[in-house]
Each structure stands twice: as C-alpha cells, then as structure tokens.
C-alpha cells in the first residue's frame, strides 16, 4: 500500500488513504514511514514528509536513509543549515 502511494500521486491520483491504511496495518514498520515521507515530499507537504522520515528514524535508528531524506527535504526548503 505505502509503496504505491508516491506512484499514485505522480499519476495525479489521491493516495493519502493508502499511507494511513499501511500505517494502521504495520505502525512499527520503518519502510512504511519512508514511503510516507516520499509521498508527502512529492505532494510538497514538507512538514509531513520530515515527520514521516523522522518516525522512520525512530523505528530504525541505524537507518541512514532516513537522516539523508530529512536533510534532503530541509535542503529543498532552503534550510541548508539544518540540512
């Protein structure tokens, strides 16, 4: 469900409910938070994207991909110091 959300958004189709459903099924799966972050980033919801990536990092503290994704979002918003 979560994996398809960014692709559905790219097609111009709503997908936030797919993220919510995936999180309801597996709330501790860090991969779902990664795909949620990608979805919210594609939707230009930077705060939600950072929050999703952060939640993934909380669940997988050694997952460097989450910290890199957060830095990427911060850089895209112009926060080069925070990135």
């Amino acid at each position: 469900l979560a994996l398809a959300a960014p692709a559905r958004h790219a097609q111009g189709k709503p997908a936030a409910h797919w993220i919510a459903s995936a999180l309801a099924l597996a709330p501790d799966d860090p991969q779902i938070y990664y795909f949620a972050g990608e979805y919210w980033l594609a939707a230009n919801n930077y705060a939600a994207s950072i929050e999703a990536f952060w939640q993934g990092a909380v669940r997988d503290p050694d997952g460097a991909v989450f910290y890199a994704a957060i830095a990427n979002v911060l850089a895209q918003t112009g926060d080069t110091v925070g990135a």
Side-chain angles (χ1 to χ4, degrees):
L1 292 171
L3 176 61
R8 285 191 53 86
H9 176 64
Q11 296 169 348
K13 299 176 182 176
H17 64 283
W18 288 35
I19 296 291
S21 295
L23 288 171
L25 290 170
D28 292 324
D29 186 342
Q31 289 182 332
I32 294 174
Y33 289 94
Y34 179 80
F35 291 117
E38 287 293 323
Y39 169 75
W40 291 119
L41 180 59
N44 296 322
N45 187 335
Y46 301 114
S49 179
I50 290 170
E51 179 62 23
F53 289 135
W54 179 251
Q55 290 300 320
V58 166
R59 285 155 179 82
D60 182 9
D62 295 328
V65 67
F66 296 107
Y67 304 107
I70 291 168
N72 178 50
V73 176
L74 290 172
Q76 286 189 34
T77 63
D79 184 358
T80 55
V81 173

